[in-house]
Amino acid sequence: MQVKVLGPLEATELGESIVPTAGKPRQVLALLALCAGQVVPATVLMDELWGADPPRSAPTTLQTYILQLRRRLDSVLRAHGPRTAKDVLRTQYNGYVLEIRPEELDVQEYERYAAAGLQALDAHDDEAASRLLGTALGCWRGPVLVDVQAGSRLAIEVMRLEESRIGVLERRIDADLRLGRHHELLSELAVLSVQHPWHENLHAQHMLALYRSGRQWRALDVFKRLRATMVDEFGLEPSARLQQLQQAILASDPMLDDPGRPGEGRVGRLAV
């Protein structure tokens, strides 16, 4: 089975979709996929579907949703080989487990490449880090489970993955900045600074890429817009780190021109 959750929910067996059209069975499949290989207790699934006040019929209704998923699987599996739906979606210890291989789930592929990319960063191999982290980000097709209604359990997983994605993106941009790819980053960072209007580090990266591309005034304008947004929305000034970067740009500090590494020199700590 191939399952994708980093975007719209997709689940295919032998090339045929098994994703149900009804909302709650989709939630069940999504949560089982995110916990692939692990037993998800029936109580956890009911909490996802109905919250803290499930109806009396919740256990029976959940069993019906599982049965629907198995029927969709069986309709594909019967014509191909010995496996049955109960081999893929098993009942175990008052819960259910979706048995799929790590390479069949896009989340696990993403996390594998992301971990390898972070290891490359730790080894100061920015070329490998940029490539591996870029491959990890390429697993994404849009917001996590964008077409699935999220209850309390799925919401936590969605938040975790979206935060992970931003962190991986920042680290990939760090590597690219140290590789001197500031021109190539300009359009991407322009979009990101609009999509994340309060994200200081993305704005700092945008400012640095603009400055190194000979666009000092635009780098200062990015700071000005971020400051106006933060003051208007939260009554807060940008962090001392970002204000120091602004001052370094105003002074045309020559250290800004050296990509360096985080921790190597005052401006390196500010900029990347």
Side-chain angles (χ1 to χ4, degrees):
M1 181 187 294
Q2 295 291 328
V3 183
K4 296 181 179 181
V5 299
L6 301 179
L9 177 63
E10 292 183 11
T12 58
E13 179 68 40
L14 301 169
E16 296 188 37
S17 175
I18 63 159
V19 177
T21 56
K24 290 193 182 299
R26 291 169 75 90
Q27 279 179 268
V28 172
L29 177 58
L31 188 54
L32 289 171
L34 283 170
C35 302
Q38 306 172 41
V39 176
V40 181
T43 53
V44 170
L45 288 164
M46 288 188 287
D47 182 64
E48 165 63 24
L49 294 173
W50 294 288
D53 189 24
R56 283 188 180 181
S57 60
T60 302
T61 305
L62 175 60
Q63 290 173 358
T64 299
Y65 295 153
I66 294 295
L67 180 60
Q68 290 173 1
L69 290 171
R70 284 177 173 158
R71 282 175 177 166
R72 295 181 73 89
L73 272 167
D74 263 335
S75 67
V76 178
L77 292 172
R78 283 176 184 168
H80 303 84
R83 284 200 310 165
T84 68
K86 288 187 176 181
D87 296 324
V88 179
L89 178 50
R90 294 192 295 109
T91 302
Q92 190 171 349
Y93 304 121
N94 296 316
Y96 303 95
V97 55
L98 187 65
E99 293 286 5
I100 58 176
R101 297 188 298 273
E103 63 271 18
E104 294 176 323
L105 179 61
D106 62 350
V107 168
Q108 296 195 19
E109 181 182 17
Y110 159 73
E111 292 179 336
R112 184 168 65 252
Y113 278 112
L118 295 176
Q119 287 180 348
L121 279 180
D122 290 340
H124 308 308
D125 187 347
D126 290 323
E127 285 281 1
S130 175
R131 183 179 67 256
L132 290 164
L133 295 175
T135 300
L137 294 166
C139 295
W140 289 70
R141 298 166 294 115
V144 180
L145 296 170
V146 65
D147 57 348
V148 177
Q149 180 179 349
S152 59
R153 304 287 178 151
L154 276 180
I156 291 170
E157 286 299 306
V158 168
M159 184 182 302
R160 177 184 70 82
L161 287 167
E162 291 290 354
E163 287 295 324
S164 171
R165 180 189 192 184
I166 289 293
V168 168
L169 179 60
E170 288 180 76
R171 301 304 298 277
R172 197 222 78 217
I173 293 171
D174 283 346
D176 285 340
L177 283 170
R178 288 194 295 271
L179 291 166
R181 297 172 179 168
H182 36 273
H183 286 287
E184 296 93 322
L185 289 169
L186 289 179
S187 60
E188 180 182 13
L189 284 167
V191 172
L192 289 170
S193 63
V194 172
Q195 291 177 336
H196 303 277
W198 305 291
H199 198 297
E200 287 200 354
N201 198 49
L202 290 173
H203 282 75
Q205 292 172 324
H206 192 196
M207 290 166 65
L208 184 61
L210 285 165
Y211 179 82
R212 288 180 180 166
S213 299
R215 306 180 192 186
Q216 182 182 24
W217 70 271
R218 285 194 58 194
L220 294 170
D221 190 54
V222 169
F223 176 86
K224 181 180 178 182
R225 285 189 284 109
L226 173 65
R227 180 182 181 277
T229 299
M230 294 186 67
V231 170
D232 289 346
E233 294 290 334
F234 307 113
L236 297 174
E237 292 286 340
S239 66
R241 171 181 175 270
L242 210 66
Q243 293 184 49
Q244 291 169 32
L245 177 57
Q246 181 214 23
Q247 291 302 312
I249 290 172
L250 281 168
S252 298
D253 191 321
M255 292 184 70
L256 285 175
D257 295 315
D258 180 10
R261 286 191 175 279
E264 291 183 1
R266 175 175 58 86
V267 178
R269 289 194 297 273
L270 294 175
V272 187

